[in-house]
Amino acid sequence: MTQYPHPPSGAGDPYQRPPGTDPYGRPVYGPPPQSSGEIVPVQAGGYDAPMAPAPAGGPTLTTIGDIAVTQTEVITPAGRFPIKGSVWTVTDMSRVEKTTPVWAIIVAILVFWWTCLLGLLFLLVKEERVTGYIQVTVQGGGTYHSTMVPALGRATGANVAQQVNYARSLAA
């Protein structure tokens, strides 16, 4: 039981809500009908909302960030739309930084005292680190969505571009 009971609905309702609605005017959904032993998932949340429909386009072929692509549609948090005629763009905003690692600096300082200039060769050691994101945008059906995929290595940009090219081939 909650701290605040639901106000009455019907004839004694001071707000004149139609029957079958909650205190906020949203329709109240009862438990789904049990038919032929079908297993119905239970949804947790603030109120009983209808379950999201299953993807009509079949199985998910690829996902790019939070964009899912099926044979017939694109599914984004902004909405669903047909894949035919969708426009895809990729922007690689990652960069490769070359730095001297800390261990090489320490070894160069320690070895310098014994071998003079030979220890400075350790300062030539370089380490590569990839940082940044790859931005993927998709437009179609009056919907625009953009996602950022973190660049984890040099191959991340090529992998994301390959997935987008696959989605473009489905859109053609």
Side-chain angles (χ1 to χ4, degrees), residues 96-166:
V96 178
E97 299 173 346
K98 291 186 177 184
T99 59
T100 303
V102 175
W103 67 266
I105 295 171
I106 293 172
V107 170
I109 292 171
L110 294 177
V111 174
F112 175 77
W113 298 109
W114 291 294
T115 60
C116 292
L117 299 178
L118 190 61
L120 295 179
L121 290 176
F122 282 100
L123 296 178
L124 297 177
V125 175
K126 297 295 178 191
E127 178 180 70
E128 289 186 358
R129 186 174 24 168
V130 179
T131 59
Y133 294 90
I134 294 96
Q135 180 183 22
V136 177
T137 60
V138 60
Q139 282 180 296
T143 305
Y144 173 85
H145 183 71
S146 175
T147 187
M148 303 287 270
V149 179
L152 303 175
R154 284 187 173 262
T156 305
N159 290 340
V160 170
Q162 184 178 18
Q163 288 179 316
V164 169
N165 286 335
Y166 178 61

Side-chain angles (χ1 to χ4, degrees), residues 12-64:
D13 184 11
Y15 302 107
Q16 301 301 317
R17 288 186 306 266
T21 60
D22 70 353
Y24 302 104
R26 296 181 296 230
V28 175
Y29 298 98
Q34 299 294 329
S35 62
S36 67
E38 178 183 1
I39 298 175
V40 180
V42 177
Q43 181 178 4
Y47 66 97
D48 293 329
M51 295 295 289
T60 302
L61 300 177
T62 187
T63 57
I64 306 166

Side-chain angles (χ1 to χ4, degrees), residues 51-58 73 75 80:
M51 295 295 289
E73 66 183 354
I75 305 167
R80 296 176 177 214

